Amino acid sequence: MSKKVFRPFWSLDIIETENWLCKMSAKGYHLKKIEAVTKVFVFEKGENKEIYYRICHHKSAINWASKSLMKNGWYSVFSKKKWNIL
């Protein structure tokens, strides 16, 4: 089961968006993707679990998560152009 949420200005307050994503995961909604054109976040229903998200913006359109982040248990949930969500 999936859930879609419209968040038109999510990139204006990254910390608030990260906190919101964490609250959504605690309710069992885990981020799967962001539909960039429509500003819709798509979640999949699963286990209620607190997951911490970090949103990264890069000057060039590369998909990456640093090796040090990967070693510490972080992984990329979603990447699109200059945005990467860990």
Side-chain angles (χ1 to χ4, degrees):
M1 179 179 175
S2 66
K3 176 177 184 158
K4 294 183 177 188
V5 180
F6 177 62
R7 299 269 304 191
F9 305 110
W10 69 270
S11 63
L12 297 179
D13 191 343
I14 297 298
I15 294 171
E16 171 59 31
T17 301
E18 291 171 344
N19 291 335
W20 172 70
L21 289 170
C22 182
K23 289 175 188 173
M24 291 295 287
S25 69
K27 295 176 184 177
Y29 293 100
H30 307 291
L31 181 67
K32 290 299 163 195
K33 68 178 181 174
I34 301 171
E35 296 173 354
V37 174
T38 60
K39 311 288 192 225
V40 170
F41 285 65
V42 179
F43 298 88
E44 188 171 289
K45 183 68 173 154
E47 179 183 342
N48 293 6
K49 151 167 115 165
E50 196 168 347
I51 298 173
Y52 296 96
Y53 293 87
R54 291 298 173 256
I55 300 172
C56 305
H57 183 267
H58 306 286
K59 292 179 183 179
S60 61
I62 57 172
N63 294 334
W64 68 275
S66 74
K67 290 180 183 179
S68 63
L69 287 173
M70 301 291 275
K71 287 180 184 178
N72 287 304
W74 291 90
Y75 61 93
S76 181
V77 175
F78 176 77
S79 293
K80 182 75 172 191
K81 295 186 181 181
K82 298 181 181 185
W83 294 98
N84 194 2
I85 301 179
L86 307 174

